[in-house]
């Protein structure tokens, strides 16, 4: 609560796109495994939307998949960083601070 003013939660990638259309976010934590639309597809769509303007919202992939190539797939989709579950809060905070500085 001391570090973050507001947190919005989307139940799936489609909902995340709707929320992104309505709000401007400083940073997005994108779960890779979501129903309806996964995080990879949602990120690609967000980046398409952003390409029409000058906006770039940092996106950190959050995934339970920690297999070889997963990080690369997330970065190729347009995500700025990657963190595997389970993770320590301080590691996430460092990544967030790096992307927001």
């Amino acid at each position: 609560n001391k570090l973050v003013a507001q947190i919005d939660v989307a139940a799936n990638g489609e909902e995340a796109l709707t929320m992104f259309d309505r709000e401007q976010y400083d940073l997005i934590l994108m779960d890779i495994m979501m129903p309806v639309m996964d995080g990879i597809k949602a990120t690609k769509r967000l980046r398409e939307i952003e390409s029409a303007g000058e906006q770039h919202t940092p996106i950190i992939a959050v995934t339970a998949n920690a297999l070889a190539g997963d990080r690369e797939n997330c970065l190729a989709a347009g995500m700025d960083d990657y963190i595997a579950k389970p993770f320590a809060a301080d590691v996430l905070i460092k990544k967030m601070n790096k992307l927001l500085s």
Side-chain angles (χ1 to χ4, degrees):
N1 288 342
K2 293 177 184 175
L3 299 173
V4 179
Q6 179 180 339
I7 297 173
D8 293 333
V9 179
N12 59 63
E14 216 170 80
E15 189 175 314
L17 289 173
T18 300
M19 292 168 67
F20 183 77
D21 192 40
R22 294 183 191 154
E23 290 282 333
Q24 183 173 348
Y25 292 97
D26 296 323
L27 185 132
I28 296 171
L29 300 177
M30 183 70 75
D31 197 339
I32 301 305
M33 301 297 288
M34 292 187 290
V36 182
M37 179 186 293
D38 67 33
I40 297 288
K41 289 179 186 171
T43 296
K44 288 179 179 179
R45 182 66 188 117
L46 290 173
R47 294 303 186 217
E48 287 173 14
I49 293 166
E50 285 184 337
S51 70
E54 295 183 22
Q55 180 181 351
H56 178 85
T57 305
I59 299 174
I60 299 175
V62 180
T63 182
N65 296 331
L67 304 173
D70 286 336
R71 183 178 194 283
E72 291 75 17
N73 288 340
C74 291
L75 297 178
M79 296 180 191
D80 299 281
D81 208 339
Y82 170 97
I83 192 165
K85 298 178 203 173
F87 56 84
D90 62 320
V91 174
L92 177 60
I93 290 167
K94 285 178 186 174
K95 290 178 177 286
M96 292 171 66
N97 284 332
K98 180 182 172 188
L99 290 170
L100 294 172
S101 61

